[in-house]
Amino acid sequence: MTQPAWIYARFSSMEQSKGHSLERQLTEGRALIERMGWEHSPNRELADEGKSAYTGGNRSEGSLLFDFEQKAREGLFHNGAVLAVENLDRLTRQGYEQAVDLLRLLTTNGVTVATWHDNQIYEAGKRIDMMKVMSIILKAELAREESEKKSIRIRASWSKKIEDAQNGDKRAMTKTLLAWLKRDDETLLMSVIPERAAVVNEIYDWYISGRGLPWIVQRLNVRKEPSWAIGARNKGQGWNTAYLHKILTNRAVLGEFEPMSRPRAALHEVTKGIVIPDYFPKIVSAEKFNQVQQLRAQRSSWGGQATKTMNNLMSGLAKCATCGGNMYFESQQKAGRTTGHKSRLDGRPLTYLAKTDRSYYRCNSARRGHTCTNKTRIRYEMLEGAILDCMFDLAMKDTTFKPSDAEAKLNLSIGEIQRSITLKQDQIKQGSDNLLEFFSKSLAQRVAQLEAGLEADEAQLATLTKQLEIERGALRPEEDSSLLLAARNALNSEDKEDRYLARVQTHQSLTRLIDQMYCNSRGETNITLNNSDVQIHIAPDGRTSLLVHEGPDGEREWNPDHEAAE
C-alpha cells in the first residue's frame, strides 16, 4: 500500500517571502516523493510562512506543524504516513533535546520522517540507531548555535538602529516599509507615495462620514484599487476589513514609530515600550486620526439589522428607568409593505399596504420575561420626532452647551500621575543610594515595590496621554450641533444612501450630546445632555418640555426618573 506523504516547508521572516525559498522547498519535496513512490497531494503541502524554528513559533498553536503534531498524538497516522522536509532544522532549531523528542514523537506515532538534503529516512516504528542519533545531536546543536549567534547580531543591530532613530536618524531600517512609503536606495530616506497616501485619507474620510468597513472594502474592490498585500500569493485577494482596521488604528500614519519584538515562542509581537514621534512622514492629521478613534469606540456596540439601516437613532442610549437595562427596538410594520390580518367581523384574512412605519421601545428585560416590571411600550416614531425637534431647536441656540470638561479632567489626572512619578523616582534614587552604603532586605523590597509602582504609573500616564489626544481631536458640542442641522434635511431623503449617511451622522452626534436617556413605566422619557444644564422631558403623547435645574454650587439636582431608586 502506497504511503501518503506530507511536505513541510518553512521560512522564518516575511522578508524571505519575496524570494524563492518556499517554492524551492516544495519543488524538491515533490521530487523526493515522486522518486520514492509515495502518494502525493497538493492538500498535504504544509507551509509555515514567517515562523521561526529557533523561537519555536513554527510549533506553537496556530502553525501547521503544530496541527500535524496534534494529529500524530491523536493516532491519526498509525496506518502509516511520511513527512518530507529539507532538513531537521526546518522542524526545530531549539537544540538536540527538542530535535530528538520531536523525531521520536513522530516515528512512534506512525510517521516516517524523510530529509532530502542529506538523504536520511527515519522510519516509523523503528529504533533510531546510535550513529543517526549522534548525527542528529551534532546537527541540531550546530543549528541552534548558528541561530543564537544570528539572533544576538540581529538584536544588537536593531538596538543600534532604534537608538539612532531616537536621536533623529530617519533612515529606513529595512526594505519592508509601510505600504504608503518608499525608500531611496542611496540615502535610505523614506518618502510618501502620494496616490497611496490619498487612499489612506479617503478611507479615513469615508469612515468619519459614517461608512462602515465592509462598505469601504467593497468600494475599493469594485473600483479595482490595487491591493497593497506583500507576496504573489496575497496580491490577488483584494482589500479586507482586517487590513482597514490596521490602517485606521496604526499611529504610524501620524509619523510615530513604536518598535515591537516577539518573545520566544510567543504568537504575537509586543511593544518595547518606546515611541519615536516624527520618524515616518506624516500622512494623516492628528484631528482626523483622533476623530476616527472616538468613532470606533462609539461604534463598538453597533450590531444587528437595526444598525445596518440605522432605523434606531437612539441605539445604545435608551435605558429602562426601572431596571437600568437597554430598551429594545421592536419594528412591527414598514411603510410600503403588504401586511396581513384577520377581519374582526368574520375572521376573513385581509391584506393592506402599510403607509407608515410602526416601531416601539420596550424594556428588553421585561420583554424576555426576566425581572423587570416595566412593560410599557413607547411608540418609537413619536419619540424620535420629539427628540429631533427638540435637539434641532437647541442646536440653534449658541448658549445651550458648555465647553467639555473632559480635557480639563484628563489634564488634572495627568498632572497627578506626573507628580507621583517624580516622587517615586526621587524615593528610588534615595533608596538605591542607601543600599550602596548598607544592605537591608526590607529596603531592597521597598525599592522593588517603588519600581513596580513607577512602571504602573508610567503605563497609566501613556494611556491618559493618548486619551487626551483623542479628546482634543473630538468634535466640540457646537460642532455636533452644526452636524445635526446639516443632516436634518437628508434624514427622510428618498435616496437610500443619503438617508442612511444622514442617520448615521445624526446617531453619532446624538451619542456624543446625550448623557442619559431613561424611559419609565408611565411612558415618559427623560434625557440629560452632556455639558449642559438642560434636561428634556417627553410626555407619552410626544409633548416636550425643557428643565433647567442647577444647585447653589452649579451642580445638577435633577436626575432621571429612575424608579429603581424610588
Side-chain angles (χ1 to χ4, degrees), residues 311-431:
N311 291 329
N312 179 10
L313 287 183
M314 274 64 71
S315 174
L317 292 172
K319 306 289 182 183
C320 172
T322 302
C323 68
N326 290 325
M327 296 297 287
Y328 179 78
F329 178 80
E330 182 179 66
S331 178
Q332 286 197 348
Q333 78 175 24
K334 297 294 294 180
R337 289 184 182 175
T338 302
T339 302
H341 68 101
K342 290 184 178 180
S343 170
R344 293 182 179 180
L345 296 176
D346 54 16
R348 288 183 300 109
L350 301 173
T351 60
Y352 69 94
L353 193 67
K355 296 182 179 180
T356 60
D357 291 342
R358 183 174 293 275
S359 310
Y360 294 91
Y361 265 157
R362 298 173 59 190
C363 172
N364 196 34
S365 177
R367 180 184 71 89
R368 294 183 291 109
H370 195 39
T371 56
C372 187
T373 58
N374 181 6
K375 298 183 179 180
T376 301
R377 297 197 309 169
I378 298 177
R379 178 72 182 271
Y380 173 80
E381 287 75 23
M382 175 274 297
L383 187 62
E384 178 187 292
I387 291 174
L388 289 180
D389 286 343
C390 195
M391 293 301 294
F392 291 145
D393 183 55
L394 291 173
M396 290 186 285
K397 298 177 180 178
D398 295 335
T399 58
T400 300
F401 297 100
K402 302 174 181 177
S404 172
D405 59 355
E407 185 175 337
K409 289 179 179 178
L410 283 169
N411 277 320
L412 183 62
S413 298
I414 287 173
E416 292 295 326
I417 287 291
Q418 288 173 331
R419 281 189 285 274
S420 175
I421 288 174
T422 301
L423 178 61
K424 286 185 174 69
Q425 287 173 335
D426 292 342
Q427 291 175 332
I428 290 171
K429 184 179 183 305
Q430 184 63 47

Side-chain angles (χ1 to χ4, degrees), residues 90-109:
R90 290 289 175 188
L91 300 177
T92 179
R93 295 175 73 94
Q94 293 182 295
Y96 71 87
E97 298 100 329
Q98 295 277 2
V100 173
D101 288 348
L102 175 57
L103 197 56
R104 291 186 68 251
L105 165 69
L106 295 173
T107 57
T108 56
N109 284 285

Side-chain angles (χ1 to χ4, degrees), residues 386-387 389-402 481 513-517 525-538 544-551 554-560:
I387 291 174
D389 286 343
C390 195
M391 293 301 294
F392 291 145
D393 183 55
L394 291 173
M396 290 186 285
K397 298 177 180 178
D398 295 335
T399 58
T400 300
F401 297 100
K402 302 174 181 177
S481 297
L513 292 172
I514 293 176
D515 179 28
Q516 293 179 329
M517 175 178 173
T525 300
N526 292 309
I527 297 172
T528 59
L529 303 178
N530 280 310
N531 308 304
S532 175
D533 300 318
V534 176
Q535 292 88 35
I536 303 170
H537 174 81
I538 304 175
T544 61
S545 55
L546 301 182
L547 306 174
V548 182
H549 290 172
E550 276 195 10
E555 74 278 7
R556 291 182 186 172
E557 292 183 335
W558 182 87
N559 290 308

